[in-house]
Amino acid sequence: MSDTALLLKALRNNPKGVRFADLARVCDAYFGEPRQKGTSHRIYRTPWPDDPRVNIQNVKGMAKPYQVRQVIKAIEKLEGMK
Protein backbone atom coordinates (compact mmCIF):
# COMPACT_ATOMS: atom_id res chain seq x y z
CA MET A 1 0.00 0.00 0.00
CA SER A 2 1.15 3.52 -0.70
CA ASP A 3 1.70 6.11 2.02
CA THR A 4 -1.42 7.96 0.92
CA ALA A 5 -3.55 4.81 1.14
CA LEU A 6 -2.21 4.08 4.62
CA LEU A 7 -2.93 7.64 5.74
CA LEU A 8 -6.45 7.49 4.31
CA LYS A 9 -7.08 4.22 6.16
CA ALA A 10 -5.88 5.84 9.40
CA LEU A 11 -8.16 8.84 8.79
CA ARG A 12 -11.14 6.57 8.31
CA ASN A 13 -10.34 4.65 11.49
CA ASN A 14 -9.92 7.72 13.68
CA PRO A 15 -10.89 11.19 12.38
CA LYS A 16 -9.91 12.72 15.72
CA GLY A 17 -6.28 13.45 16.48
CA VAL A 18 -5.21 13.78 12.84
CA ARG A 19 -2.14 15.88 12.11
CA PHE A 20 -2.83 18.70 9.67
CA ALA A 21 0.25 17.77 7.60
CA ASP A 22 -1.11 14.23 7.11
CA LEU A 23 -4.53 15.49 6.02
CA ALA A 24 -2.91 18.02 3.67
CA ARG A 25 -0.79 15.23 2.13
CA VAL A 26 -3.92 13.15 1.44
CA CYS A 27 -5.73 16.16 -0.03
CA ASP A 28 -2.75 17.01 -2.24
CA ALA A 29 -2.75 13.45 -3.58
CA TYR A 30 -6.48 13.37 -4.36
CA PHE A 31 -7.31 16.99 -5.26
CA GLY A 32 -4.00 18.45 -6.47
CA GLU A 33 -2.47 21.71 -5.34
CA PRO A 34 -4.69 23.87 -3.14
CA ARG A 35 -5.97 27.12 -4.60
CA GLN A 36 -5.22 28.81 -1.29
CA LYS A 37 -2.22 27.99 0.85
CA GLY A 38 0.01 29.80 3.31
CA THR A 39 -2.60 30.72 5.89
CA SER A 40 -4.19 28.48 8.50
CA HIS A 41 -6.57 27.23 5.77
CA ARG A 42 -6.04 25.22 2.61
CA ILE A 43 -8.80 25.18 0.02
CA TYR A 44 -8.91 22.48 -2.65
CA ARG A 45 -11.10 22.37 -5.77
CA THR A 46 -13.25 19.38 -6.57
CA PRO A 47 -14.55 18.27 -9.99
CA TRP A 48 -18.27 18.35 -9.14
CA PRO A 49 -20.51 21.43 -9.44
CA ASP A 50 -22.27 21.29 -6.03
CA ASP A 51 -19.89 22.69 -3.45
CA PRO A 52 -16.66 22.75 -5.44
CA ARG A 53 -14.19 22.92 -2.59
CA VAL A 54 -12.63 21.10 0.31
CA ASN A 55 -11.49 23.36 3.13
CA ILE A 56 -9.09 22.20 5.84
CA GLN A 57 -7.79 24.23 8.74
CA ASN A 58 -4.58 24.02 10.75
CA VAL A 59 -5.23 24.43 14.48
CA LYS A 60 -1.95 24.11 16.37
CA GLY A 61 -0.74 21.41 13.99
CA MET A 62 -3.94 19.37 14.12
CA ALA A 63 -6.90 19.05 11.74
CA LYS A 64 -10.48 19.55 12.86
CA PRO A 65 -12.36 16.21 13.06
CA TYR A 66 -15.40 17.43 11.12
CA GLN A 67 -13.12 18.56 8.29
CA VAL A 68 -11.43 15.15 8.26
CA ARG A 69 -14.87 13.56 7.84
CA GLN A 70 -15.67 16.02 5.01
CA VAL A 71 -12.43 15.09 3.23
CA ILE A 72 -13.21 11.37 3.57
CA LYS A 73 -16.69 11.95 2.14
CA ALA A 74 -15.27 14.00 -0.76
CA ILE A 75 -12.70 11.29 -1.56
CA GLU A 76 -15.41 8.61 -1.54
CA LYS A 77 -17.47 10.75 -3.92
CA LEU A 78 -14.43 11.28 -6.15
CA GLU A 79 -13.67 7.54 -6.21
CA GLY A 80 -17.30 6.83 -7.10
CA MET A 81 -16.98 9.07 -10.15
CA LYS A 82 -14.14 6.98 -11.61
Side-chain angles (χ1 to χ4, degrees):
M1 254 196 243
S2 70
D3 289 341
T4 304
L6 290 173
L7 281 173
L8 185 57
K9 185 177 178 180
L11 297 180
R12 286 182 172 139
N13 288 337
N14 184 16
K16 296 180 181 180
V18 174
R19 290 180 38 225
F20 178 79
D22 292 340
L23 185 61
R25 192 173 321 142
V26 169
C27 288
D28 287 345
Y30 279 93
F31 304 113
E33 285 292 312
R35 68 178 186 176
Q36 180 180 338
K37 179 176 162 179
T39 64
S40 63
H41 291 262
R42 282 189 179 200
I43 300 173
Y44 296 87
R45 292 181 187 196
T46 55
W48 49 85
D50 249 0
D51 191 8
R53 67 185 186 281
V54 170
N55 180 21
I56 62 174
Q57 185 176 1
N58 185 354
V59 181
K60 298 180 183 177
M62 302 301 285
K64 292 188 173 187
Y66 80 92
Q67 292 174 341
V68 174
R69 289 189 292 272
Q70 287 176 347
V71 167
I72 292 168
K73 186 175 178 182
I75 289 171
E76 288 171 352
K77 185 173 182 178
L78 183 65
E79 288 176 339
M81 294 174 70
K82 292 181 181 180

